[in-house]
Amino acid sequence: MVFHADDMLLSPVREVLRGPVNDILVCRDLRSSARSSYLLIAIRDRETARRVLAVLQSSQRETGGKSPYLKMFTENEYLCFLFEYRPERRLDRFSDGQLTTPQSRERVCVNLVMECLSSALPFPLLYLALEKENVHLLQDDGVYLTCCFDLSRLDESIGEAECADRCVQILLDLLRRQSRRQLKSFELLRKKSERGAYGSLPELYRDIRFSSLPEQKTPFRKRLAAFWERNKDLFFRILLRVCVILAAAAVIILICQLLFGGFPLLRLFQNTFEVIGTENLTMA
């Protein structure tokens, strides 16, 4: 089946999910020379479509009209939402091999909470996005969320507190894998989570941000090498100009020696009390 969205012609290339009320498809725009890929949520259940629209409408009032999707359109009996496609790199599969230090794990935790704070997804949808198959890890320890969720589990009553609680469970699982002594950040999050103390994402961000270990300082040799790499072009230009100036000065001195038998400026360095006219007092 091909989907039409304004001037786009979306052809499915992979089915990610076939759920009770919606499908998730990876599509390509056949009218784009770049063959760009997108993630498409196609809702075929009318009641679910109505509930999703109500959630999105309520959320837009809170985010100032910011939309989490690229396009919304209908295709036959489907209500469709088009999102940017990002390749899967699941956090639960790549974290053990990539995050080898406590600092890197805490850094990813901070990035995950920041991703939640900056997301335009309404809280009921953000809650569904905070599942292991939707949380992905970049090679530079960045984190991004995808929208491959089953809308049959949508609960409109979900709010920020529930999202913060689900997020903290992901953080605890990530920090718990650190061997030997438990991290201060893990203990703080665990104790507050057990009391149900997290009611907002900014509070969670503050705790993980300020209880994290300081980043390890880069060794002096690496910092020196990085400084040289950043500034070597500047140093080369300065050295080239100095060489040009010295070469020009040498030519001028040579010409003065040939024409006048000496260079006038060099006389400033001569001891005038020992040399008077043609007489040298030290030779007397």
Side-chain angles (χ1 to χ4, degrees):
M1 180 178 180
V2 177
F3 296 84
H4 302 79
D6 296 333
D7 58 343
M8 303 174 71
L9 187 62
L10 301 166
S11 175
V13 296
R14 181 165 64 92
E15 184 178 80
V16 179
L17 171 72
R18 179 171 289 275
V21 298
N22 70 286
D23 300 331
I24 306 291
L25 304 167
V26 177
C27 299
R28 280 191 185 147
D29 182 9
L30 300 181
R31 290 177 179 164
S32 169
S33 58
R35 288 293 192 269
S36 303
S37 295
Y38 299 91
L39 188 71
L40 180 70
I41 297 181
I43 306 173
R44 58 179 177 273
D45 180 72
R46 290 187 177 182
E47 178 60 21
T48 302
R50 184 193 64 78
R51 293 166 59 202
V52 170
L53 288 173
V55 166
L56 289 170
Q57 185 177 7
S58 175
S59 172
Q60 285 182 347
R61 290 197 295 267
E62 299 170 1
T63 60
K66 184 180 178 182
S67 176
Y69 51 83
L70 299 176
K71 290 180 182 292
M72 179 179 67
F73 61 96
T74 59
E75 183 74 32
N76 297 330
E77 73 276 14
Y78 291 96
L79 175 65
C80 302
F81 295 93
L82 194 66
F83 296 84
E84 176 188 2
Y85 173 72
R86 304 187 71 172
E88 294 82 1
R89 199 172 187 273
R90 285 173 49 167
L91 175 65
D92 60 334
R93 294 178 180 174
F94 286 87
S95 59
D96 286 341
Q98 179 173 326
L99 308 179
T100 57
T101 65
Q103 288 88 351
S104 64
R105 291 184 178 274
E106 290 179 328
R107 182 165 58 248
V108 168
C109 290
V110 171
N111 291 339
L112 174 56
V113 182
M114 289 181 62
E115 178 69 10
C116 293
L117 286 169
S118 62
S119 175
L121 287 170
F123 291 127
L125 296 180
L126 179 62
Y127 186 79
L128 295 178
L130 285 170
E131 296 181 346
K132 59 183 180 181
E133 62 267 22
N134 285 317
V135 183
H136 303 274
L137 177 66
L138 292 170
Q139 292 182 344
D140 63 356
D141 295 344
V143 177
Y144 63 94
L145 303 174
T146 55
C147 299
C148 300
F149 31 67
D150 180 0
L151 290 172
S152 65
R153 295 180 295 175
L154 176 66
D155 182 354
E156 300 96 316
S157 66
I158 294 292
E160 186 175 7
E162 289 82 3
C163 290
D165 182 67
R166 174 162 282 191
C167 186
V168 79
Q169 298 309 315
I170 299 174
L171 305 189
L172 290 173
D173 182 63
L174 193 60
L175 297 172
R176 188 182 290 111
R177 301 178 196 178
Q178 182 62 37
S179 58
R180 300 178 184 175
R181 189 165 58 95
Q182 293 291 359
L183 296 170
K184 179 182 177 181
S185 56
F186 172 82
E187 292 297 336
L188 175 61
L189 266 60
R190 181 183 62 81
K191 291 177 181 179
K192 294 190 69 171
S193 176
E194 289 176 352
R195 301 199 310 267
Y198 286 114
S200 68
L201 290 166
E203 181 183 2
L204 177 58
Y205 172 81
R206 185 185 65 246
D207 283 353
I208 184 63
R209 181 70 179 83
F210 292 105
S211 63
S212 299
L213 294 171
E215 293 285 345
Q216 293 178 342
K217 290 186 177 180
T218 307
F220 176 75
R221 291 180 61 182
K222 288 187 177 181
R223 282 184 285 158
L224 186 62
F227 177 77
W228 166 254
E229 190 65 28
R230 291 193 304 269
N231 298 282
K232 62 181 180 181
D233 292 339
L234 175 63
F235 292 152
F236 176 77
R237 289 195 295 270
I238 293 174
L239 182 61
L240 181 62
R241 291 175 183 176
V242 170
C243 290
V244 170
I245 293 171
L246 291 177
V251 171
I252 293 172
I253 292 174
L254 178 61
I255 293 174
C256 289
Q257 289 282 2
L258 294 175
L259 296 178
F260 307 111
F263 187 59
L265 288 178
L266 294 179
R267 294 172 185 172
L268 295 175
F269 303 99
Q270 228 174 4
N271 192 336
T272 56
F273 291 99
E274 295 180 355
V275 179
I276 303 176
T278 58
E279 297 296 328
N280 192 329
L281 299 181
T282 60
M283 301 296 291

